[in-house]
Amino acid sequence: MAGENEGLAIGIDLGTTYSCVAVWQRNRVKIIPNDQGNRITPSYVSFNQAERLIGDAAKNVVALNPTNTVFDAKRLIGRRFSDPLVQSDKKHWPFKVICGANDKPMISVTYQGEEKLFAAEQISSMVLANMKDIAEAFLGFPVKNSVITVPAYFNDSQRRATKDAGTLSGLNVLRIIAEPTAAAIAYGLDKMSSSSDEKNVLIFDLGGGTFDVSLLTMVKSTFKVKSTAGNTHLGGEDFDNRVVNYLVQDFETRHKKDIRDNPRALRRLRTACERAKRNLSFMALTTIGIDCLYEGIDFEYKLTREKFEELNMDLFEKCIGHVEKCLKDGKMDKKSVHDVVLVGGSTRIPKVQQLLQDFFIGKQLCKSIHPDEAVAYGAAVQAAILTGQDNHEIRDLIWWDVTPLSLGISVNENEMRVVVPKNTTIPTKKEDAAFTNLDHQTGITFMVYEGERPRASDNIQLGKFVLSGIPSALMGVHKFNVCFEIDANGILTVSAEDKTSGKTNSITISNVKGMLSSKDEIERMLEEAERFELEDEEHKKSFNARGLLVTYVYVTRNLVTKVAASTEAIKIEDEIKQAIKWLDEHRVGKSELFENKTKELKSIWDPIIRG
Ligand code: ADP
Ligand code: MG
C-alpha cells in the first residue's frame, strides 16, 4: 500500500486568510475536511505558555491571545521589512513584527514563556504542515509531495519563500502555480466540452487578502493566460477593516473612549465584523453584539447591507477598475468574454456580483465552482498530472502563467533592452546579444531590470553580475549571449556568455538581495509608464539617435583601420578619436544633439570614406 501511495501528491491553496487541501482520488478531486469537519482551515498559528495551535484552534483563541496569534503571514512572505506595505500592514496587526537581519521582517511572539522570532515562511510552513496532517489523517498514509498555489503576481522572492515554507513543512514541492490558473484548471474540468471554439474566460478571485483578475483563453481543454491584474491588498480583510474603523468611531462618539489601545477588544470587534459581513451576503440586516467590549461596556450595533456597501463601495469599484485594466492589457473587448468566473470567499458579496454583472452588461456569472475550493481543486489536478495519477483527459490540459512586467538588461548608457516582454508566458527561455561598449574593456557588468520604462534606471533593478577576465579588444568585438530563463515556478536565472572567450557567469535572483518587484510596485510601474509616456518617447528617441551615432563612428573607424594608411581616410583618424571622446562626454542628451552630431560628422566623413 505504501509503495502505491508513495508518489501521491496533494494540492494546497495556501491562502492569506484560509487554506484548503485537495487530492486526486479515483479520477476525481476530493476536498479534504479538517478535524473540525471544515473544508477550509484558517491560516492562523497561535503560541501560548504550553503549546502551539494551528488552524481553527488558533483562530478560536485569537481574541484571548491577540499578540501571540499570527495570521496574514502571506502578506509578509518574501518581502522586506522596509516595504511600505509591510509598514502599513503592521499597524493593523495585533502581533509584533520587527526588522531582522537583511531587512527581513520577523514576527515576535511569546512562546512557552520566551520571546521567539519567526520568519513568515516559518509561520507558513506550520500552516502547510497542518494541511499535510489533515491530508494524512484523511488518507491514512504519509504524504510527501505537493503542489502549492500563490497569487499570480507573486514575484520570484515570494514564490521562493513559499517553496521554502513547503520544504520546511516536510513536503516536497513539485510545483508552485498561480491561483487563478489553478482555478481555471478546475473550471476547465467542470466545463470540458466537445466544442472546439475558442473561449475567453475571466477569473475574478476576491479572497481575504488578495484580489486577482486573470483573462484566459481556452480552446477545448487548453488554457492560456492572456493578462493579469489585481491588488495584493484588496480583499475581505479590508472590508472588515472598514467596518471595524467605523464602529471604533461609533464607540468613541457614544462613550468617549478609544478602544484602539486594547488589542483584545479590537480583535473581538474584528471577528464580530467578519461574521456580520458574511451574514450580510444573505440577509439585509445583522446585529453585532459584544459583551464587555471595553472597560465593561457592552456594544451593540445593527448593521445594514446598505451601510456595509457604502463603507466599501470605493473598494468594490476598485475591483471593477482592475477588471477593466486586465481586459485592456489583454486587448480584449468585454463583449468577447464568454465566461466570468467567481473565485474567493468575498465573491459571495451581492454588491460585488452585481457590479461585475453590470460591467459585463448583465452577463450571467459562473458560480458553479465552490469559490473557496476552486484553487485547491486545480492544484490537486496539477499534482495528479505531475505524478502521473491522472487519466489522459486531464493530461491534455496545458496552461501558462505570464510575466507581469518586461525583463531586460541595461545597455548603452542606461538603455533598457527588453529580453522577455511583458505578458510572456512562462516557463520561458529568451536570448539576446550584447556587446562591449568601450575599447579594451576586460569586464562587463550585467544589470537586470524589470519594468516598462526605456531608461533602465527608471525601472526596478533586480540584480547584477560581472563577467570579468575578457581578453582586451576594441569596442564591439566581444559578443555576449545573454539568456533569460524563467522556470515553471517563476524563478528567474540570467546568464551571459562571452562568445569569443567562452567565459560565462549567471545570476539567479535570490531571496535576500535581489527582490523582484511586488505587485504594488508592478502597479506603480505600469501607472508610471502611462504617465511618463511622452517623456519616455523622448528617451527612446535619444537612445536611438545616440545608438546610430555610436554605430556610425565605430563603423567608420573599422573602415579606416581596414583601408591602407596611404588613403585619404587616414586623415580622419584624429577626428574619430575626437568623436569617441565626445561620445564619452555626452552619455545622455536630447535626440537632436546626437542627430546633429551625426549629420555634422557624415557631411565631413562620408565624402572621404566614399572616396
Ligand atoms: P484567501 O484565499 O485570500 O485566504 P478566501 O478565498 O478563502 O481567501 O476568502 C476568505 C474571505 O472571504 C474572508 O475575508 C471571508 O471573510 C470572506 N467570506 C467568506 N464567506 C463570505 C460571505 N458569505 N460573504 C462575504 N465574505 C465572505
Ligand atoms: Mg484564495
Side-chain angles (χ1 to χ4, degrees):
M1 172 123 178
E4 192 187 314
N5 298 315
E6 187 89 350
L8 183 128
I10 50 175
I12 303 176
D13 167 13
L14 178 61
T16 312
T17 53
Y18 286 93
S19 295
C20 182
V21 58
V23 67
W24 180 266
Q25 244 192 351
R26 292 180 211 100
N27 284 337
R28 62 184 200 91
V29 170
K30 171 79 193 156
I31 302 287
I32 306 177
N34 65 23
D35 57 358
Q36 305 290 304
N38 298 326
R39 291 154 73 91
I40 57 172
T41 302
S43 307
Y44 278 59
V45 182
S46 183
F47 301 89
N48 63 32
Q49 192 60 34
E51 59 185 338
R52 191 185 68 184
L53 304 168
I54 311 176
D56 287 311
K59 195 167 181 183
N60 287 341
V61 298
V62 76
L64 299 171
N65 189 12
T67 53
N68 298 308
T69 302
V70 184
F71 54 93
D72 269 7
K74 192 168 168 181
R75 284 193 186 281
L76 282 172
I77 207 158
R79 285 183 186 277
R80 287 168 290 193
F81 180 77
S82 56
D83 186 325
L85 245 154
V86 170
Q87 290 303 311
S88 81
D89 279 340
K90 220 165 63 93
K91 294 186 197 127
H92 295 288
W93 288 323
F95 52 87
K96 207 161 90 186
V97 179
I98 61 163
C99 184
N102 295 318
D103 202 17
K104 195 178 173 79
M106 299 298 287
I107 298 149
S108 163
V109 294
T110 306
Y111 179 32
Q112 297 178 332
E114 275 176 46
E115 195 202 333
K116 287 255 181 208
L117 292 179
F118 292 106
E121 46 268 55
Q122 283 175 290
I123 301 291
S124 291
S125 81
M126 296 169 197
V127 173
L128 288 170
N130 187 44
M131 302 317 285
K132 178 177 184 272
D133 288 347
I134 291 170
E136 288 177 348
F138 173 85
L139 293 166
F141 53 81
V143 175
K144 275 205 201 104
N145 302 312
S146 65
V147 167
I148 302 172
T149 60
V150 293
Y153 276 84
F154 252 29
N155 63 41
D156 176 75
S157 168
Q158 291 164 307
R159 283 169 195 243
R160 264 166 189 275
T162 304
K163 199 172 180 193
D164 289 348
T167 312
L168 278 174
S169 75
L171 282 166
N172 174 35
V173 184
L174 298 174
R175 190 167 291 184
I176 298 284
I177 64 168
E179 286 157 14
T181 307
I185 293 165
Y187 177 75
L189 271 182
D190 284 354
K191 301 273 167 173
M192 193 111 62
S193 72
S194 53
S195 151
S196 60
D197 293 341
E198 203 171 278
K199 233 181 168 195
N200 300 317
V201 181
L202 187 116
I203 309 274
F204 183 98
D205 181 352
L206 186 59
T210 56
F211 173 52
D212 282 292
V213 47
S214 312
L215 184 62
L216 314 161
T217 298
M218 192 172 87
V219 185
K220 275 193 180 166
S221 51
T222 303
F223 303 106
K224 183 174 159 78
V225 179
K226 276 187 97 85
S227 57
T228 63
N231 189 319
T232 23
H233 207 303
L234 187 54
E237 286 180 344
D238 300 292
F239 310 147
D240 300 342
N241 278 339
R242 285 288 171 87
V243 183
V244 169
N245 291 341
Y246 174 72
L247 294 183
V248 163
Q249 271 165 23
D250 179 80
F251 193 89
E252 206 170 352
T253 318
R254 278 201 256 172
H255 305 288
K256 306 280 167 287
K257 285 178 198 301
D258 185 358
I259 73 161
R260 265 180 270 239
D261 58 13
N262 183 335
R264 181 165 177 253
L266 212 52
R267 189 63 227 174
R268 287 180 71 208
L269 182 61
R270 179 162 287 131
T271 306
C273 287
E274 192 201 349
R275 199 177 311 122
K277 172 190 71 176
R278 290 178 187 236
N279 289 341
L280 290 176
S281 290
F282 308 102
M283 46 186 90
L285 176 79
T286 187
T287 304
I288 295 169
I290 308 168
D291 289 342
C292 295
L293 175 62
Y294 188 82
E295 293 181 358
I297 306 168
D298 294 341
F299 180 75
E300 197 187 281
Y301 189 92
K302 288 195 189 329
L303 185 68
T304 61
R305 187 186 281 178
E306 283 77 13
K307 187 73 208 172
F308 172 73
E309 289 169 356
E310 181 196 315
L311 290 170
N312 286 293
M313 200 55 187
D314 60 312
L315 297 178
F316 298 162
E317 277 166 351
K318 238 184 178 173
C319 296
I320 305 301
H322 286 294
V323 172
E324 257 183 304
K325 207 158 140 205
C326 188
L327 289 171
K328 194 174 160 219
D329 267 9
K331 296 186 181 60
M332 191 172 290
D333 185 81
K334 60 170 122 174
K335 293 201 193 82
S336 309
V337 174
H338 297 100
D339 286 300
V340 179
V341 183
L342 296 179
V343 182
S346 300
T347 58
R348 290 206 182 86
I349 298 171
K351 195 77 192 173
V352 170
Q353 297 189 5
Q354 188 210 318
L355 289 175
L356 190 63
Q357 188 163 15
D358 289 351
F359 176 81
F360 283 101
I361 326 163
K363 180 177 249 335
Q364 222 39 53
L365 307 174
C366 301
K367 309 176 203 170
S368 59
I369 308 176
H370 202 307
D372 302 328
E373 299 170 0
V375 171
Y377 187 119
V381 174
Q382 166 78 88
I385 294 168
L386 291 172
T387 52
Q389 313 249 328
D390 61 305
N391 55 26
H392 287 289
E393 232 170 63
I394 60 172
R395 190 176 286 282
D396 290 340
L397 284 166
I398 306 166
W399 57 90
W400 294 269
D401 291 335
V402 296
T403 51
L405 290 174
S406 303
L407 295 159
I409 51 167
S410 162
V411 294
N412 312 327
E413 311 304 339
N414 200 18
E415 181 180 353
M416 171 81 176
R417 164 84 63 81
V418 172
V419 181
V420 182
K422 181 181 149 196
N423 279 338
T424 298
T425 52
I426 57 169
T428 186
K429 186 176 174 182
K430 299 240 182 226
E431 289 178 320
D432 201 356
F435 298 88
T436 45
N437 55 4
L438 290 172
D439 285 341
H440 312 301
Q441 205 175 344
T442 55
I444 178 165
T445 304
F446 289 91
M447 295 208 252
V448 183
Y449 286 90
E450 185 182 39
E452 307 311 311
R453 311 284 302 278
R455 277 200 311 200
S457 58
D458 288 330
N459 294 320
I460 299 156
Q461 198 194 104
L462 302 177
K464 60 180 176 185
F465 63 97
V466 179
L467 196 57
S468 53
I470 305 165
S472 177
L474 288 180
M475 177 251 189
V477 168
H478 284 284
K479 185 177 175 186
F480 304 95
N481 188 34
V482 182
C483 177
F484 275 59
E485 194 164 5
I486 309 175
D487 72 9
N489 296 323
I491 290 161
L492 167 72
T493 303
V494 181
S495 59
E497 183 189 6
D498 174 12
K499 290 307 236 185
T500 334
S501 67
K503 291 224 180 238
T504 62
N505 200 357
S506 67
I507 186 174
T508 296
I509 305 302
S510 81
N511 212 345
V512 190
K513 287 186 221 102
M515 306 272 287
L516 271 164
S517 58
S518 71
K519 185 164 173 183
D520 301 270
E521 277 176 301
I522 290 168
E523 275 179 26
R524 179 179 61 78
M525 292 296 312
L526 294 175
E527 188 268 320
E528 280 183 4
E530 265 179 41
R531 190 147 46 95
F532 295 109
E533 207 177 331
L534 285 177
E535 214 173 288
D536 281 351
E537 207 43 54
E538 173 51 33
H539 290 312
K540 262 190 228 164
K541 268 169 69 187
S542 147
F543 282 130
N544 280 341
R546 193 177 185 281
L548 287 173
L549 175 59
V550 169
T551 311
Y552 180 68
V553 171
Y554 284 92
V555 164
T556 311
R557 182 175 76 175
N558 287 351
L559 277 174
V560 169
T561 328
K562 276 187 200 132
V563 286
S566 59
T567 66
E568 278 264 299
I570 200 81
K571 286 187 198 156
I572 59 171
E573 259 195 337
D574 252 7
E575 284 175 26
I576 289 169
K577 277 194 194 127
Q578 292 286 332
I580 290 173
K581 191 156 164 267
W582 187 93
L583 276 169
D584 198 37
E585 287 161 1
H586 297 86
R587 287 164 184 263
V588 286
K590 291 227 177 288
S591 50
E592 293 85 22
L593 177 75
F594 301 115
E595 281 160 8
N596 291 339
K597 188 77 185 170
T598 309
K599 264 191 222 141
E600 177 197 324
L601 295 180
K602 278 194 165 185
S603 68
I604 310 170
W605 296 352
D606 275 1
I608 300 174
I609 302 164
R610 291 207 192 104

